[in-house]
Amino acid sequence: MRNDLQLTPWVISQKGSGWVDEFCESIFFIGNGRMGIRGYISSEPAHRPIQKGVYLAGIFGEIKPGITDFVNLPTPVCERIYIDGAEAELASGIERVLNMQEATLTMRYTLRSGDKSLDVEYQRFLPKEHPALIMQRLRLTPSTDMELSISSGILTDSCNSPIPDDQTKVNAETIQLSKLVSMSASENGICCSFDILGANLAVMQEASFRYPGFRYAHRDGTDITYIANAKSGKALIFDKAACILTSRDLDPRIAGIPEGWDYDLLLEEHKQAWAETWIRCDLNLPALDDELLTGLHFSMYNLIGSCNAKDPTVSIGARGLSHGRYKGCYFWDTDMFMLPFFLENDLEAAKNLCGYRVRSLSAAKAHSKKMNTAGARYPWMAALDGSEQCETWDIGCSELHVTADVAYALDAYCKKSGDDSFYLDRAAEVFVETARFWISRYTYCPDTGEVDLLFCKGPDEYCGITNNNLFTNVMVQHNLDLAIQAAADLKEKRHELYSKLGITQEEIDHMAVLRRAIKWPSDPVTGRLRQDETLHLLEPADMEKIKPDAGASYHHVCFDRLQRYKVIKQADVLLAMTRLPNLFTQAQKDAAWEDFEPICLHDSTLSFASHALFALQNGYTEQGMAYLRKALLLDLRDIMGNTGHEGLHLACMGEVWQAAFVLKQCHMKPPTVLQV
């Protein structure tokens, strides 16, 4: 737990000591959707090429054949500061301030060399409407006369440390996925070009300087040094504009550094763009206290900052642009947890997030063929080309529900937007092809007409490999409904596509038969819904013993043992009931809360928010608010102890926004407490 952040509704601040604080580097992340930079201190002298860099949506490099990693790119966020020729040392604490209304990061600290000191105020922002730009300003105020030098440019040795899919393993090896291929410089700036390993991608970075009061001194590699005769108490300003362009840019706003650029004008334009964004999407929930309002704004700020809203070829990774965890891959997190925020606040972004899934349909079909099934099967972990990136065979093979989750998400966009063209020309084909996968994936009993979904896992990643997971079966039925309707609509309105897809009435009838045959596991005596066909057989566990703290229980109990305890990692049945609530009676929902909430370990960062959403949807306001607090503060208080070394948890942010949206719709009805 961290309690050193000061939280007001729109501003997060912290006063710490020392250059390095990975928790703060996650919290003080800034992004403009296309690029993201962790909140490291630009003048920190330590060589940390894994932690220093820029993440840019869609830039993946190959670490082994067929497997990619989200590239930690070279960074123009770097400088060294010298006093009378000696590198200055930190002489104070460091104050960090993140203004979420303006999307600016400010840092203040004092440097010293000998008996001379220098007050430093550093500001960083990524212009919202100029998604290729990174803007930085140093305001330097000396305590006495001194020769002040700044060495600034582009740090080219940023590298990756690929993190295994197995969450219990740590990798100390590094790999540099960007190769410097050319460099040019002048007195006012520098330009570098890079190739991305195994990706056929090129990246260009340029830095330009404005330095009144300084003079050019010399260049050393990719750094340029400027010198000033600084006077006591008189502030000097050193501005730096940088841009990153790539060979795969699609957003029409992407451009190089504007000629005659002005830091202050770009900052005012940036503030105005964010002000308009907040007018459009702020929930304005006065019932929340300042701490929770900060958490809500923090969630929305980071969802916006990690969504490349005008590019349909990329999605949002599990950690957004704040970290390379899980190789930067795209999970069901985007489809089920983040998309609803954009459906309500930015339909263009929502359409492009769905567009990524449509564009990767061919990869999903290839994946299904590889897995000896028909149609399209979406991968558990997807990168830029939509191919499966999961290297653990059991999870990658058994987390089937992602395919139905994709269909659910596309349908949600179509219904919210009324975009018939997207539905008929793009989404309908996905509905049909994913239904074909499900037809081929179920096991059929010819004697009884029953079907079983064998070797699967639902959202609860514990409980072992199981059969007939309720969440998955419910989502598959929804997927089949979408396919049956899509086939009818294509036949009527897009008959050429209907014929091209080879849809037949026999196939549609087969979908309907499968839909009716899919079972919901339940107790044969009480009729209460079960999560699957094996959870009730597992051994009860002492919850406090296997989870003695807020961290994940797998730090104390091995995965093999967890799979055999009657515990769940995160919401599963409850999650299904939040997504398709009209399929379930209130009695079923009440029983599910009684059965599953007490045995949930909340080992996933998604879990608090999903429980908050379920509770608020069903009138359990007291419990809902308790879970909402944990979810809103998950990163800000580092509740699970992994924010620093794993980055921000974007899916939790999306889910907690949904819970807050329900809270606003309910207008805070009087608490209804379910006795458990």
Side-chain angles (χ1 to χ4, degrees):
M1 285 280 289
R2 292 282 294 256
N3 292 299
D4 55 334
L5 298 182
Q6 288 73 54
L7 307 180
T8 60
W10 289 105
V11 176
I12 299 168
S13 60
Q14 191 260 4
K15 293 183 179 179
S17 59
W19 290 112
V20 178
D21 187 330
E22 286 195 324
F23 167 71
C24 286
E25 289 170 17
S26 288
I27 295 298
F28 292 94
F29 159 86
I30 58 172
N32 62 8
R34 177 176 178 261
M35 291 190 295
I37 303 173
R38 289 172 58 79
Y40 70 89
I41 300 165
S42 62
S43 59
E44 175 209 336
H47 181 252
R48 295 195 301 141
I50 297 172
Q51 290 80 17
K52 297 179 182 179
V54 178
Y55 289 109
L56 198 152
I59 302 300
F60 293 83
E62 190 173 69
I63 55 176
K64 62 180 74 171
I67 300 297
T68 62
D69 200 6
F70 195 27
V71 181
N72 184 38
L73 285 167
T75 177
V77 180
C78 60
E79 70 260 342
R80 296 290 182 91
I81 300 175
Y82 302 84
I83 297 174
D84 291 342
E87 187 163 10
E89 298 179 347
L90 187 64
S92 71
I94 297 173
E95 179 187 18
R96 296 172 169 89
V97 180
L98 175 65
N99 186 318
M100 293 179 289
Q101 269 185 317
E102 301 176 351
T104 58
L105 172 61
T106 304
M107 302 178 183
R108 300 181 183 91
Y109 50 94
T110 299
L111 299 176
R112 182 181 299 278
S113 178
D115 61 353
K116 295 184 178 181
S117 63
L118 178 71
D119 290 336
V120 178
E121 181 179 277
Y122 169 89
Q123 186 178 67
R124 179 190 309 164
F125 72 97
L126 276 58
K128 195 170 189 300
E129 295 305 316
H130 299 275
L133 297 187
I134 301 169
M135 302 300 300
Q136 301 170 81
R137 167 169 284 179
L138 280 167
R139 182 185 297 273
L140 306 164
T141 307
S143 63
T144 186
D145 292 356
M146 63 177 66
E147 182 185 80
L148 180 60
S149 304
I150 296 177
S151 179
S152 186
I154 297 171
L155 184 69
T156 62
D157 62 354
S158 298
C159 62
N160 285 49
S161 179
I163 302 170
D165 298 341
D166 185 341
Q167 298 179 54
T168 63
K169 293 181 179 179
V170 177
N171 180 27
E173 298 177 355
T174 63
I175 181 172
Q176 189 161 17
L177 294 172
S178 57
K179 177 185 177 183
L180 179 65
V181 294
S182 68
M183 185 269 291
S184 60
S186 69
E187 289 190 2
N188 298 319
I190 192 163
C191 182
C192 297
S193 295
F194 306 88
D195 285 341
I196 303 303
L197 188 66
N200 196 30
L201 292 172
V203 174
M204 187 277 286
Q205 296 195 14
E206 181 181 5
S208 175
F209 304 100
R210 296 280 188 269
Y211 45 93
F214 288 85
R215 62 186 183 276
Y216 172 83
H218 60 85
R219 178 178 64 82
D220 181 12
T222 57
D223 288 332
I224 302 176
T225 298
Y226 302 90
I227 297 176
N229 297 319
K231 301 298 181 182
S232 175
K234 292 187 177 180
L236 290 170
I237 303 294
F238 186 88
D239 290 343
K240 181 177 183 179
C243 78
I244 302 180
L245 306 176
T246 81
S247 58
R248 62 164 312 279
D249 293 333
L250 294 176
D251 187 338
R253 300 171 301 165
I254 294 172
I257 300 170
E259 187 174 350
W261 62 272
D262 182 278
Y263 185 95
D264 294 305
L265 290 178
L266 285 167
L267 178 58
E268 286 307 309
E269 180 184 347
H270 172 72
K271 289 179 180 180
Q272 182 60 37
W274 269 96
E276 293 170 0
T277 297
W278 287 121
I279 290 171
R280 185 172 68 247
C281 68
D282 185 19
L283 280 178
N284 189 24
L285 274 169
L288 299 183
D289 59 36
D290 282 358
E291 190 175 53
L292 296 189
L293 275 176
T294 308
L296 182 58
H297 293 151
F298 187 66
S299 297
M300 293 189 285
Y301 162 81
N302 283 296
L303 286 165
I304 297 166
S306 283
C307 178
N308 201 12
K310 296 184 181 296
D311 186 345
T313 67
V314 297
S315 188
I316 306 173
R319 300 296 179 260
L321 300 174
S322 77
H323 201 276
R325 185 72 172 105
Y326 300 113
K327 301 187 288 240
C329 286
Y330 313 136
F331 290 77
W332 69 310
D333 300 34
T334 312
D335 310 285
M336 296 294 283
F337 299 99
M338 301 181 217
L339 182 66
F341 170 80
F342 297 102
L343 287 174
E344 195 65 33
N345 298 294
D346 188 344
L347 273 177
E348 180 185 18
K351 180 177 183 177
N352 284 326
L353 289 171
C354 291
Y356 165 79
R357 290 299 196 183
V358 172
R359 292 171 70 97
S360 59
L361 176 61
S362 59
K365 292 172 71 174
H367 182 50
S368 187
K369 183 177 181 180
K370 181 179 178 181
M371 302 300 289
N372 301 119
T373 46
R377 171 179 175 162
Y378 280 88
W380 181 237
M381 296 173 62
L384 186 62
D385 66 355
S387 62
E388 177 66 86
Q389 297 293 300
C390 183
E391 297 178 85
T392 51
W393 70 270
D394 55 339
I395 298 295
C397 293
S398 64
E399 294 277 5
L400 304 171
H401 62 84
V402 61
T403 296
D405 302 336
V406 169
Y408 177 94
L410 297 183
D411 176 61
Y413 168 74
C414 293
K415 285 185 168 58
K416 181 68 178 180
S417 66
D419 189 341
D420 287 341
S421 177
F422 185 90
Y423 166 56
L424 292 168
D425 298 328
R426 309 185 73 188
E429 182 177 358
V430 175
F431 298 153
V432 170
E433 293 292 359
T434 50
R436 287 170 169 167
F437 163 69
W438 294 119
I439 289 173
S440 68
R441 184 56 175 78
Y442 276 79
T443 299
Y444 299 80
C445 179
D447 296 332
T448 65
E450 293 183 346
V451 298
D452 292 288
L453 186 62
L454 307 177
F455 192 81
C456 70
K457 271 184 177 289
D460 170 24
E461 295 169 8
Y462 295 164
C463 79
I465 303 292
T466 188
N467 302 327
N468 291 317
N469 169 257
L470 177 70
F471 176 92
T472 307
N473 277 354
V474 168
M475 295 298 292
V476 171
Q477 287 178 318
H478 181 65
N479 193 162
L480 292 168
D481 287 339
L482 295 175
I484 292 167
Q485 184 61 54
D489 291 336
L490 289 175
K491 186 175 184 180
E492 177 185 354
K493 301 174 182 178
R494 295 288 192 277
H495 198 272
E496 183 177 345
L497 180 56
Y498 178 88
S499 299
K500 180 181 177 182
L501 293 175
I503 302 171
T504 65
Q505 187 59 49
E506 181 183 11
E507 182 179 38
I508 297 169
D509 292 342
H510 196 166
M511 292 178 189
V513 169
L514 174 60
R515 194 247 182 268
R516 291 191 297 270
I518 290 173
K519 64 188 72 172
W520 289 12
S522 62
D523 186 287
V525 177
T526 66
R528 294 164 84 98
L529 293 174
R530 288 175 172 169
Q531 180 173 291
D532 50 49
E533 294 186 353
T534 55
L535 178 65
H536 66 287
L537 302 175
L538 302 180
E539 179 185 341
D542 183 334
M543 301 284 280
E544 293 184 1
K545 183 177 180 180
I546 66 174
K547 191 178 173 75
D549 53 41
S553 59
Y554 52 74
H555 295 305
H556 307 283
V557 182
C558 74
F559 268 112
D560 176 73
R561 191 66 185 94
L562 282 172
Q563 303 294 327
R564 294 179 286 113
Y565 276 133
K566 190 179 178 180
V567 294
I568 60 178
K569 181 179 181 180
Q570 62 188 15
D572 194 302
V573 173
L574 298 180
L575 187 67
M577 292 176 170
T578 65
R579 273 19 187 213
L580 295 166
N582 294 334
L583 297 182
F584 303 91
T585 67
Q586 190 59 50
Q588 287 174 320
K589 295 173 186 176
D590 292 345
W593 182 265
E594 291 174 358
D595 290 343
F596 300 112
E597 191 269 346
I599 62 171
C600 185
L601 290 168
H602 305 293
D603 275 359
S604 165
T605 54
L606 285 171
S607 195
F608 296 141
S610 294
H611 280 73
L613 176 59
F614 179 93
L616 292 172
Q617 281 182 336
N618 290 283
Y620 316 150
T621 310
E622 187 173 304
Q623 293 101 320
M625 291 303 296
Y627 276 120
L628 185 66
R629 179 171 294 275
K630 289 181 178 181
L632 283 170
L633 299 178
L634 181 85
D635 282 320
L636 292 172
R637 296 304 186 204
D638 199 16
I639 287 175
M640 293 187 69
N642 60 359
T643 296
H645 64 273
E646 288 195 4
L648 301 174
H649 297 88
L650 273 292
C652 175
M653 293 175 178
E655 186 82 335
V656 82
W657 178 87
Q658 293 185 70
F661 189 70
V662 169
L663 187 64
K664 185 176 180 67
Q665 291 177 316
C666 292
H667 301 293
M668 288 298 292
K669 295 177 181 177
T672 299
V673 181
L674 180 68
Q675 299 300 318
V676 295

